[in-house]
């Protein structure tokens, strides 16, 4: 079902994030080596690095694309306490860098006093808005009032979550029935601090974000969080990477429109999997939100899918590099493995 | 190792702190690691280091009105003479203190030779009486403590001196760092000229530190946020490591017993203390985050103990940090990245050690030998050191591409979007066409739905359409016909079921379909749960070819008793409900063997007769609404919107405006993601929601320049007001363009799309010969 293609990323340290653009033809990677690389897919399916530049003075935790309506725009966030908005400028590159596109720093957001752990653009219908969260528990929402001028951003909201934040996700629903909503995950490992996933909702009356829900059952450190693409649903589906993979369904309960209280949700756990046997680091939905991918400390990607009974099942295990694909025999055909499996001894005798 | 065991016996304690009266500027420990001196503008105290806290031992700041000599920029405790301290005062004085003096004032000697603030004092590591100072005035002075004056003065000929450090291994050498970015090496015997000079940083070099073991390794830190490690042992000074930190580096100290580790702190912005492994210059190995204001002084408590670090800060606290309590940023750093692409491909980056971990999923059950691989003698196998593991790290990036035609891919979506007909033909034909499309794309459930819709909503007043249709085709009984046939029965089931509870039975039908699958042959069960099969559709398109009995009871099921059976036993009689699955019986053989054209025809007409007089299409609206919601909630908004458009007024009023708008928006967004602009525009055009229809009414103005005179055109056609020429002349064939006209926004020249494309294959320049390098976007 999948063919693995190994890419020589040539980052000097860990890669922390991979992100596809809106149309799925470009990819950005960011690494602790303080650089971002942009990859473009050629006609033969080959990915080539078209830009690589030093971005921050610390580990770059996340990189994310803006909607292409706003141009070719990336945002990154870093251990150096800043988030930066980048824009690709076409046609101004000098000749010696032919073939390399030219990314310009549009703005640096320096409000955080600690490491900025995640950065996400809001759904397009809200305009050009950017959200950051930081290790000191503050979620900041910025807006570019003029979409043609990416160097002007104003801080619109500051939400204090009281817990060290590790990840945020916007509810992608464009329905007018759904108020703008962000889920915030915390990697605070202290179980006694309660729920590590908080959901904030914009209130039209007070013009502020207010906490709508805390998922109290998620008490362990959360590493990643992702709303499923909404696609016309009346409810929301949220995937959480913590010590296991969890999928929540949030059904908005009817509220009378006059009240300024945040929406109440009926929260259902759709699934919970601990098959990674370890910390789960990432979750990602496919575009139709029928398939969830998760990756954990076991180095595997697992794919999850619901059948028509809403029973979620593992439908595949992918291993990209170094070792054999496991799982059901014959299920995943021809996953390549560049056979450079490191012997366990390398680490020990390498000195 | 010996040293360490000796040390761990003597140094113990915990993470602890104490409040000082005033901000600290510098700290220093005595050789046996039992006391620490804290010096600042308004503080000069000695604290004892107890097991569980700091104890104030001595206040050196005495006198009613302390002189400026007490205002310390730096302090150093002599490493050989345990009663001897030196301070650098902000007024330029260098003072030595002798704790053995009997009186309260411990001041021993005072050198007032510097004109400006002294930034640094340094005792010689082995020569008891030698003291070195570096000052803001650009001079370094060497003092012999037995004399009243300096013995030699070194002029850096550069700017202010920020740090001076005696080499630990070379008796005569010291290093000095300067505000202009230079580092100089001096021989203590030759005050006339430095031995070496090199530019280490851009901007001031705030600090330097000699490696305690590696001869010639010097670490420097500067305002440019970098820590660099230089190898001085070669002819050319070589930068061997460079660590980029997030703020200017104010202090740097090599960690004892750890060859590649050093600690840094900043005097700007950042309050944390970082310990770096210089081989991995991007992520701190450990971080101490206790201080609330900038850290001004750091010192390892004992020169052979790597676990205790002392620090003083502007927040007026003195801390002892335990290494085991440090936070490890790398533990919180995400070792993996994962993202689903638009086309179902999956990008995955992970730490290589995770990917090549020996216990892959398949191996979990396998027994591992204690001590690792049998191929190697057990004494070779040693658990890798934590610090070694830390330094060797990299990530592997791979993309899992969904194979062509695989169910993970999104080809079906694009194909469907492009092939569906949403308008322009009679309703029944649209349904028919779309059912065919869905079938071709191997999406039987959708195909079924279209067929059902056709039957439900075809004009009952005009039965001739469908019967004609059947008649026409009954001769050779094609697949379509059998689909129609079976799904009438399905509809029929629904209709009957609707009497008791529409919804539950609708679900029952699906339930039953599931039962059939799960109770099927073993191979199928495995297929469902064991296999990595992803496609929803396949759940419904189970291959029934092998089930020979199916065709046999196909015919009897269609007989009239069916109705009575259901009525008598409303609890979902199984044989009927298996019907919805039967269209997937590979039609040709089933039909040709079991159904004669005549029978088929009669059955169809009868079943139509059965309900058509009684059931207006409106009757089905709740079911269809239910179905649309079902598709939407399953993530197939394409189906929901397509049906909505094709059904048009038949269903529109049943579904509230907001939901419709939401579906349209979601579908349009998806189409635009796949760059299906034409389909997207068609959907917008066909939608009935006000909010959607206006989507393609905005930004429809084009501003163009005349290709002849380059002036902006007025908005009246293609004849330029000024030069009275037609502006839309093809630059390639020189004819007036009718239809698609493309032009370069830079030079306004353009022409027929195909001509310009042809031209651009050969030349980048404008076909009009204006010399412009045209860009078409």
């Amino acid at each position: 079902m999948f063919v693995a293609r190994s890419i020589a990323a040539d980052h000097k340290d860990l890669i922390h994030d991979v992100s596809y653009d809106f149309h799925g033809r470009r990819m950005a990677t960011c690494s602790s080596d303080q650089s971002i690389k942009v990859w473009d897919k050629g006609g033969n399916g080959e990915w080539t690095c078209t830009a690589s530049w030093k971005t921050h003075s610390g580990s770059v935790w996340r990189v994310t694309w803006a909607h292409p309506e706003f141009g070719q725009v990336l945002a990154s966030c870093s251990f150096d306490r800043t988030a930066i908005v980048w824009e690709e400028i076409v046609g101004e590159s000098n000749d010696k860098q032919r073939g390399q596109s030219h990314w310009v720093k549009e703005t640096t957001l320096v409000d955080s006093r600690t490491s900025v752990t995640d950065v996400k653009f809001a759904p397009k219908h809200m305009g050009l808005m950017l959200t950051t969260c930081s290790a000191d528990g503050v979620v900041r929402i910025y807006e570019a009032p003029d979409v043609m001028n990416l160097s002007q951003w104003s801080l619109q909201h500051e939400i204090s979550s009281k817990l060290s934040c590790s990840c945020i996700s916007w509810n992608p629903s464009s329905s007018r029935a759904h108020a703008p909503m962000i889920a915030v995950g915390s990697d605070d490992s202290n179980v006694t601090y309660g729920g590590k996933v908080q959901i904030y909702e914009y209130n039209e009356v007070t013009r502020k974000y207010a906490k709508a829900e805390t998922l109290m059952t998620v008490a362990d450190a959360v590493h990643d969080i992702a709303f499923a693409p909404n696609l016309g649903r009346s409810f929301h589906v949220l995937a959480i990477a913590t010590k296991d993979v969890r999928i929540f369904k949030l059904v908005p309960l009817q509220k009378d429109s006059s009240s300024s209280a945040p929406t109440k949700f009926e929260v259902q756990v759709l699934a919970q999997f601990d098959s990674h046997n370890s910390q789960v680091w990432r979750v990602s939905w496919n575009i139709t939100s029928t398939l969830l991918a998760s990756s954990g400390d076991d180095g595997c990607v697992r794919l999850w899918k619901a059948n028509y009974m809403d029973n979620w099942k593992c439908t595949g295990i992918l291993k990209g590099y170094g070792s054999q694909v496991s799982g059901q025999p014959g299920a995943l055909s021809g996953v390549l493995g560049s056979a450079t499996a490191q012997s366990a001894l390398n680490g020990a005798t390498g000195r | 190792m010996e040293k360490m065991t000796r040390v761990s016996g003597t140094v113990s304690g915990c993470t602890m702190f104490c409040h000082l009266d005033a901000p600290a500027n510098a700290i220093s420990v005595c050789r046996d690691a039992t006391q620490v001196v804290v010096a600042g503008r308004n503080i000069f105290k000695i604290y004892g280091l107890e097991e569980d806290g700091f104890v104030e031992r001595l206040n050196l700041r005495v006198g009613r009105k302390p002189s400026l000599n007490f205002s310390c920029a730096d302090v150093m405790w002599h490493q050989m003479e345990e009663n001897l301290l030196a301070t650098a005062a902000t007024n330029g004085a260098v003072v030595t203190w002798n704790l053995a003096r009997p009186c309260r004032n411990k001041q021993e000697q005072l050198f007032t030779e510097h004109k400006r603030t002294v930034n640094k004092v340094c005792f010689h590591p082995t020569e008891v009486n030698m003291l070195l100072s570096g000052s803001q005035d650009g001079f370094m002075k060497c003092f012999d403590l037995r004399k009243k004056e300096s013995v030699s003065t070194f002029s850096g000929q550069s700017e202010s001196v920020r740090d001076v450090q005696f080499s630990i291994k070379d008796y005569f050498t010291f290093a000095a760092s300067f505000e202009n970015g230079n580092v100089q090496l001096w021989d203590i015997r030759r005050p006339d000229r430095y031995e070496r000079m090199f530019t280490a940083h851009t901007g001031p070099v705030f600090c330097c530190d000699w490696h305690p073991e590696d001869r010639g390794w010097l670490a420097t830190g500067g305002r440019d946020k970098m820590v660099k490690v230089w190898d001085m042992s070669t002819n050319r000074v070589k930068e061997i490591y460079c660590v980029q930190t997030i703020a200017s580096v104010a202090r740097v100290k090599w960690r004892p017993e750890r060859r590649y580790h050093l600690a840094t702190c900043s005097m700007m912005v950042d309050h944390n203390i970082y310990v770096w492994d210089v081989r991995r210059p991007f992520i701190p190995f450990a971080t101490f985050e206790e201080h609330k204001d900038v850290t001004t002084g750091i010192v390892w408590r004992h020169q052979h103990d790597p676990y205790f670090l002392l620090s003083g800060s502007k927040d007026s606290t003195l801390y002892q940090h335990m290494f085991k309590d440090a936070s490890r940023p790398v533990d919180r750093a995400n070792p993996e990245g994962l993202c689903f692409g638009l086309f179902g491909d999956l990008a995955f980056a992970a730490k290589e050690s995770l990917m090549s971990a020996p216990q892959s999923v398949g191996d979990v059950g396998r027994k591992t030998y204690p001590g690792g691989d049998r191929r190697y003698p057990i004494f070779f196998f040693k658990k890798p050191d934590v610090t070694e593991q830390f330094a060797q790290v990299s990530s592997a990036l791979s993309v899992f591409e969904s194979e062509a035609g695989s169910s993970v891919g999104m080809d079906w979506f694009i194909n469907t979007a492009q092939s569906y007909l949403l308008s322009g033909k009679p309703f029944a034909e649209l349904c028919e066409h779309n059912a065919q499309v869905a079938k071709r794309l191997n999406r039987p459930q959708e195909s079924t739905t279209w067929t059902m819709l056709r039957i439900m909503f075809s004009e009952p007043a005009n039965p001739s359409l469908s019967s004609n249709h059947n008649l026409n085709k009954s001769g050779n009984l094609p697949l379509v016909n059998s689909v129609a046939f079976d799904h009438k029965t399905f509809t029929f089931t629904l209709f009957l079921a609707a009497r008791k509870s529409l919804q539950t039975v609708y679900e029952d039908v699906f339930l039953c379909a599931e039962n059939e699958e799960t109770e099927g042959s073993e191979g199928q069960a495995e297929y469902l749960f064991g296999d990595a099969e992803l496609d929803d559709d396949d759940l419904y398109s189970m291959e029934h070819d092998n089930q020979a009995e199916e065709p046999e009871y196909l015919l009897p099921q269609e007989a009239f008793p069916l109705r009575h059976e259901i009525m008598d036993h409303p609890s979902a009689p199984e044989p009927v409900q298996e019907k919805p699955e039967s269209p997937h019986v590979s039609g040709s053989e089933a039909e040709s063997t079991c159904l004669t054209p005549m029978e088929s025809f009669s059955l169809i007409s009868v079943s139509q007769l059965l309900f058509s007089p009684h059931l207006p299409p409106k009757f089905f609206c709740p079911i269809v609404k239910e179905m649309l919601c079902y598709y939407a909630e399953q993530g197939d908004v394409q189906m929901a919107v397509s049906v909505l458009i094709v059904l048009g007024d038949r269903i529109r009023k049943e579904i509230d405006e907001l939901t419709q708008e939401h579906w349209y928006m979601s579908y349009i967004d998806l189409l635009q993601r796949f760059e299906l602009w034409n389909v997207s525009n068609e959907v917008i055009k066909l939608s009935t929601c006000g909010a959607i229809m206006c989507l393609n009414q905005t930004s429809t103005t084009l501003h163009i320049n005349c290709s002849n005179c380059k002036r902006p055109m007025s908005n009246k056609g293609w004849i330029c007001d000024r030069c009275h020429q037609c502006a839309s002349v093809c630059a390639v064939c020189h004819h007036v363009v009718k239809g698609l006209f493309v032009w370069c926004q830079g030079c306004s020249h353009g022409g027929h799309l195909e001509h310009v494309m042809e031209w651009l294959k050969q030349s980048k320049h404008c076909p009009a010969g204006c010399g412009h390098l045209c860009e078409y976007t």
Side-chain angles (χ1 to χ4, degrees):
Chain A
M1 185 177 340
F2 282 107
V3 183
R5 194 189 280 268
S6 182
I7 298 172
D10 198 29
H11 275 293
K12 304 277 183 295
D13 206 308
L14 285 184
I15 297 174
H16 296 297
D17 199 14
V18 194
S19 176
Y20 275 108
D21 79 333
F22 187 76
H23 294 301
R25 303 227 168 81
R26 312 189 86 183
M27 189 166 72
T29 55
C30 66
S31 158
S32 261
D33 69 5
Q34 310 174 349
S35 69
I36 291 178
K37 286 176 196 261
V38 173
W39 306 81
D40 282 272
K41 194 177 189 174
N44 53 358
E46 207 60 59
W47 289 93
T48 44
C49 179
T50 55
S52 171
W53 72 104
K54 185 179 173 301
T55 52
H56 289 268
S57 50
S59 298
V60 188
W61 298 135
R62 297 266 196 169
V63 62
T64 186
W65 293 85
H67 191 281
E69 189 177 296
F70 305 115
Q72 291 296 307
V73 177
L74 280 174
S76 59
C77 65
S78 163
F79 183 72
D80 72 1
R81 305 169 176 190
T82 62
I84 298 182
V85 179
W86 306 91
E87 186 176 16
E88 186 177 32
I89 304 295
V90 183
E92 283 176 23
S93 54
N94 39 1
D95 283 333
K96 66 181 174 186
Q97 291 176 311
R98 191 164 290 281
Q100 293 276 300
S101 59
H102 187 55
W103 289 82
V104 178
K105 187 192 289 187
E106 291 289 354
T107 195
T108 308
L109 305 170
V110 294
D111 298 282
S112 175
R113 308 193 69 176
T114 53
S115 171
V116 182
T117 49
D118 200 355
V119 63
K120 290 276 156 67
F121 284 100
K124 187 200 81 176
H125 64 268
M126 293 173 60
L128 186 50
M129 292 180 98
L130 187 68
T131 320
T132 64
C133 73
S134 55
D136 58 359
V138 183
V139 178
R140 292 181 175 85
I141 300 175
Y142 300 87
E143 180 169 17
D146 176 8
V147 295
M148 301 305 289
N149 182 2
L150 293 173
S151 58
Q152 293 281 326
W153 292 80
S154 58
L155 180 58
Q156 295 285 322
H157 300 279
E158 253 187 0
I159 311 168
S160 177
S161 79
K162 309 226 168 33
L163 286 172
S164 159
C165 298
S166 59
C167 47
I168 42 180
S169 176
W170 277 97
N171 180 2
S173 170
S174 57
S175 168
R176 281 188 286 130
H178 300 147
M181 193 201 283
I182 329 173
V184 182
S186 165
D187 62 353
D188 196 310
S189 50
N190 191 332
V191 182
T192 55
Y193 288 170
K196 296 300 182 322
V197 175
Q198 300 173 347
I199 292 167
Y200 293 90
E201 194 189 54
Y202 183 67
N203 191 311
E204 289 292 346
V205 182
T206 58
R207 300 187 173 209
K208 282 201 167 65
Y209 281 84
K211 195 188 287 183
E213 191 70 53
T214 304
L215 301 182
M216 295 308 288
T217 51
V218 185
D220 295 279
V222 171
H223 305 295
D224 199 11
I225 192 166
F227 271 110
N230 182 277
L231 298 183
R233 286 201 194 92
S234 56
F235 54 87
H236 316 296
V237 178
L238 185 64
I240 294 168
T242 168
K243 68 182 198 318
D244 46 21
V245 183
R246 286 189 213 184
I247 306 172
F248 283 89
K249 179 177 177 180
L250 304 169
V251 186
L253 300 175
Q254 286 299 328
K255 69 164 188 176
D256 73 278
S257 49
S258 59
S259 82
S260 63
T263 320
K264 289 271 176 286
F265 293 96
E266 181 196 335
V267 180
Q268 302 167 14
V269 183
L270 289 183
Q272 184 166 351
F273 308 107
D274 51 5
S275 343
H276 280 291
N277 283 321
S278 56
Q279 291 293 325
V280 182
W281 289 106
R282 285 286 193 245
V283 283
S284 179
W285 290 95
N286 75 342
I287 188 69
T288 53
S289 73
T290 46
L291 203 55
L292 176 72
S294 67
S295 69
D297 260 343
D298 58 357
C300 296
V301 178
R302 282 165 202 272
L303 300 171
W304 311 94
K305 185 177 173 61
N307 65 6
Y308 40 86
M309 295 294 293
D310 248 4
N311 284 327
W312 288 79
K313 294 255 156 45
C314 179
T315 59
I317 303 168
L318 304 173
K319 262 204 146 194
Y321 184 84
S323 70
Q324 199 55 50
V325 182
S326 52
Q328 295 77 9
L332 308 158
S333 52
V335 173
L336 304 176
S338 15
T340 54
Q342 291 175 332
S343 131
L345 275 165
N346 278 4
T349 55
R351 59 176 81 213
Chain B
M1 279 315 256
E2 263 176 52
K3 278 181 208 154
M4 273 180 63
T5 42
R6 194 197 71 213
V7 166
S8 58
T10 55
V11 180
S12 63
C14 57
T15 295
M16 58 190 189
F17 75 102
C18 74
H19 286 289
L20 309 172
D21 312 327
N25 274 346
I27 61 172
S28 185
V29 280
C30 71
R31 189 180 54 176
D32 62 3
T34 55
Q35 293 182 89
V36 58
V37 57
V38 182
R41 193 170 280 269
N42 292 310
I43 184 171
F44 190 21
K45 279 182 182 175
I46 291 175
Y47 286 88
L49 288 156
E50 298 291 323
E51 188 76 14
D52 50 356
F54 292 97
V55 177
E56 186 178 327
R57 288 278 159 76
L58 188 62
N59 189 355
L60 290 156
R61 201 179 156 82
V62 292
R64 203 174 302 141
K65 191 163 175 271
S67 75
L68 273 177
N69 296 344
F70 285 104
S71 171
C72 305
D74 190 34
V75 63
M76 184 164 179
W77 204 311
H78 204 294
Q79 292 301 299
M80 300 179 71
E81 188 64 60
E82 64 180 21
N83 284 325
L84 203 56
L85 287 93
T87 59
T90 48
N91 63 353
V94 172
V95 193
T96 60
W97 311 80
N98 189 348
L99 302 180
R101 281 170 72 102
C103 57
R104 278 183 68 215
N105 191 347
K106 307 291 186 189
Q107 184 172 327
E108 179 119 313
Q109 286 205 50
L110 180 69
F111 305 99
T112 52
E113 295 180 31
H114 284 297
K115 306 249 177 345
R116 297 177 62 191
T117 298
V118 181
N119 286 319
K120 197 74 193 174
V121 284
C122 182
F123 283 113
H124 195 277
T126 49
E127 184 62 52
V128 178
N129 289 311
M130 201 185 289
L131 175 68
L132 189 67
S133 68
S135 160
Q136 200 72 16
D137 61 11
F139 291 100
M140 294 146 283
K141 287 178 188 287
C142 183
F143 304 96
D144 185 330
L145 299 184
R146 294 161 294 195
K147 295 180 180 168
K148 291 250 181 287
E149 284 170 3
S150 63
V151 288
S152 45
T153 300
F154 308 87
S155 169
Q157 311 270 325
S158 290
E159 279 183 57
S160 307
V161 186
R162 295 309 295 242
D163 201 356
V164 283
Q165 293 287 341
F166 275 112
S167 166
I168 292 157
K169 297 286 177 183
D170 295 308
Y171 184 88
F172 295 110
T173 308
F174 74 88
S177 73
F178 294 86
E179 245 170 37
N180 60 0
N182 288 344
V183 169
Q184 295 176 351
L185 286 193
W186 290 81
D187 187 318
I188 201 83
R189 299 160 296 186
R190 294 197 53 192
D192 53 328
R193 197 185 147 69
Y194 53 78
E195 300 273 292
R196 272 177 169 187
M197 181 170 83
F198 60 95
T199 304
H201 294 265
T202 52
V205 187
F206 288 135
C207 52
C208 58
D209 195 35
W210 290 95
H211 197 283
E213 264 130 50
D214 276 292
R215 180 187 294 257
W217 279 24
L218 181 75
T220 60
R223 195 167 69 191
D224 59 1
K225 305 181 182 176
M226 310 245 217
V227 177
K228 292 182 180 175
V229 179
W230 306 89
D231 187 355
M232 307 281 192
S233 57
T234 49
N235 276 338
R236 262 183 73 86
V237 175
K238 204 169 66 186
E239 180 189 321
I240 48 177
Y241 294 106
C242 176
V243 176
Q244 167 91 58
T245 73
I246 67 169
S248 63
V249 180
R251 300 268 187 261
V252 55
K253 291 275 181 243
W254 287 98
R255 187 178 175 201
E257 310 289 331
R258 293 290 182 274
R259 187 176 177 198
Y260 295 103
H261 286 193
L262 47 79
T264 67
C265 69
S266 170
M267 279 205 262
M268 296 272 282
V269 189
D270 194 358
H271 311 159
N272 297 342
I273 302 163
Y274 301 102
V275 179
W276 303 87
D277 186 317
V278 291
R279 293 167 300 176
R280 189 174 177 187
F282 305 115
I283 300 184
F285 179 70
T287 311
F288 300 103
E289 297 165 339
E290 283 86 358
H291 283 298
K292 303 280 184 296
D293 202 340
V294 289
T295 309
T296 47
I298 50 174
V299 60
W300 294 95
R301 183 168 162 190
H302 191 282
Q303 55 180 332
H304 293 298
D305 184 315
Y307 301 110
F308 292 86
L309 180 72
L310 300 167
S311 69
S313 161
K314 280 260 190 287
D315 65 4
S316 304
T317 56
L318 175 65
Y319 258 95
Q320 170 169 283
H321 308 277
M322 287 283 293
F323 219 78
K324 67 175 170 58
D325 296 332
S327 76
R328 305 293 181 103
V330 77
D331 291 345
R332 302 183 96 181
N334 213 316
E336 287 176 342
L338 179 70
C339 188
F340 246 118
L342 188 61
F343 300 95
D345 32 359
L346 200 55
F348 179 50
K351 194 156 110 183
E352 275 181 347
S353 59
L354 290 180
M355 307 255 272
S356 57
Q359 78 286 5
S360 72
V361 192
D363 301 343
V364 166
R366 201 189 296 162
K367 216 176 242 174
T368 47
Y369 296 106
D373 199 322
R374 267 282 169 88
R375 283 172 296 174
Y376 301 94
I378 203 154
F379 51 84
F380 278 166
F381 196 84
K382 194 176 146 197
K383 199 164 173 268
D385 189 3
V386 180
T387 61
E388 292 297 324
Q389 280 182 336
F390 178 82
Q392 299 163 355
V393 73
S394 63
S395 281
L397 176 64
S398 43
V399 172
F400 300 105
E401 287 168 4
S402 58
E403 277 178 330
S406 138
S407 53
V408 201
M410 292 296 289
D411 301 343
W412 64 268
F413 179 89
I414 301 169
N415 279 330
T416 310
Q418 287 171 338
S419 317
Y420 269 180
L421 281 180
L422 302 177
S423 67
K425 282 189 175 176
F427 170 75
E429 275 176 56
L430 291 179
C431 288
E432 184 70 39
H433 175 89
N434 292 347
Q436 294 270 25
V437 168
K439 192 165 184 68
R440 196 180 69 230
L441 294 170
N442 198 20
R443 311 188 72 222
Q445 198 187 4
E446 283 72 9
S447 170
T448 306
T449 307
W450 283 113
T451 315
M452 283 164 59
L453 288 171
R454 195 195 80 206
I455 297 158
M456 287 179 184
F457 289 92
S458 283
E459 298 298 310
N462 182 19
S464 61
L465 176 71
S466 61
S467 20
N468 278 346
H469 184 72
N470 287 327
L471 261 176
N472 291 342
K473 299 199 172 177
S474 59
N476 54 357
L477 249 187
L479 221 52
V480 197
N481 213 342
S482 85
V483 171
F485 175 83
D486 286 322
H487 284 284
K488 263 172 210 173
T489 339
F490 181 39
T491 321
F492 184 54
T493 322
L494 281 180
F495 151 59
L496 291 170
R499 290 203 176 157
K500 51 172 190 138
S501 158
L502 268 176
Q503 194 180 341
T504 53
V505 173
Y506 187 71
E507 281 165 7
D508 270 354
V509 174
F510 284 100
L511 244 174
C512 186
E514 189 220 14
N515 287 341
E516 187 192 8
E517 280 159 7
T518 48
E519 288 162 13
S521 72
E522 226 178 280
Q524 281 181 356
E526 211 175 273
Y527 176 74
L528 227 191
F529 295 112
D531 209 337
E533 181 47 64
L534 296 171
D535 198 343
D536 217 347
D537 311 330
D538 289 75
L539 297 178
Y540 298 97
S541 68
M542 308 300 296
E543 298 290 330
H544 288 236
D545 304 56
N546 52 346
Q547 296 182 334
E549 72 273 38
E550 190 104 34
E552 282 165 28
Y553 60 68
L554 194 77
L555 210 151
Q557 303 304 324
E558 304 306 327
F560 295 103
L562 172 70
R563 186 182 56 164
H564 304 297
E565 196 181 324
I566 291 171
M567 290 215 174
D568 295 344
H569 313 283
S571 57
E574 273 150 72
V576 179
Q577 289 182 342
E578 275 183 80
K579 280 292 138 199
E581 287 305 305
S582 51
H584 319 305
V585 171
S586 53
S588 49
E589 47 163 335
E591 305 303 330
S592 54
T593 52
C594 305
L595 287 178
T596 67
M598 221 19 235
E599 280 167 326
S600 159
F601 171 58
S602 65
L603 277 172
I604 289 166
S605 44
V606 167
S607 60
Q608 275 205 337
L609 269 176
L610 260 179
F611 56 80
S612 51
H614 309 291
L615 288 177
K618 220 179 169 65
F619 177 83
F620 294 107
C621 285
I623 311 179
V624 173
K625 181 188 173 189
E626 194 79 21
M627 180 201 77
L628 290 182
C629 292
Y630 169 80
Y631 275 115
E633 315 233 310
Q634 289 294 308
D636 191 358
V637 75
Q638 180 175 51
M639 190 68 191
V641 171
S642 303
V643 171
L644 198 60
I645 292 174
V646 170
L647 283 181
D649 287 331
R650 296 173 183 87
I651 187 75
R652 192 176 300 134
K653 293 185 185 63
E654 299 289 321
I655 298 167
D656 71 292
E657 192 84 345
L658 214 56
T659 312
Q660 286 191 36
E661 190 185 312
H662 189 192
W663 290 350
Y664 275 119
M665 286 301 274
S666 306
Y667 187 43
I668 290 165
D669 186 63
L670 263 185
L671 291 170
Q672 292 185 346
R673 269 188 175 240
F674 285 101
E675 297 170 87
L676 298 165
W677 310 111
N678 292 342
V679 186
S680 149
N681 195 44
E682 190 191 354
V683 170
I684 293 173
K685 217 162 71 187
L686 292 172
S687 75
T688 47
C689 297
I692 304 297
M693 273 157 69
C694 68
L695 280 180
N696 61 2
Q697 306 294 318
T698 55
S699 305
T700 51
T701 314
L702 280 179
H703 296 281
I704 47 177
N705 286 343
C706 172
S707 59
N708 287 322
C709 61
K710 303 277 162 52
R711 294 207 197 92
M713 300 267 291
S714 64
N715 51 1
K716 292 183 207 118
W718 284 97
I719 301 294
C720 177
D721 286 346
R722 292 180 187 79
C723 58
H724 303 288
Q725 300 257 354
C726 180
S728 60
V729 172
C730 177
V732 182
C733 70
H734 302 288
H735 289 292
V736 173
V737 181
K738 288 174 180 157
L740 280 181
F741 178 66
V742 291
W743 69 96
C744 167
Q745 300 196 352
C747 66
S748 310
H749 295 117
H752 293 100
L753 176 61
E754 58 269 35
H755 288 166
V756 172
M757 279 168 73
E758 192 77 14
W759 179 271
L760 287 177
K761 276 183 201 154
Q762 293 155 13
S763 168
K764 282 179 186 160
H765 293 271
C766 179
C770 67
H772 186 252
L773 279 168
C774 288
E775 279 186 31
Y776 291 88
T777 48

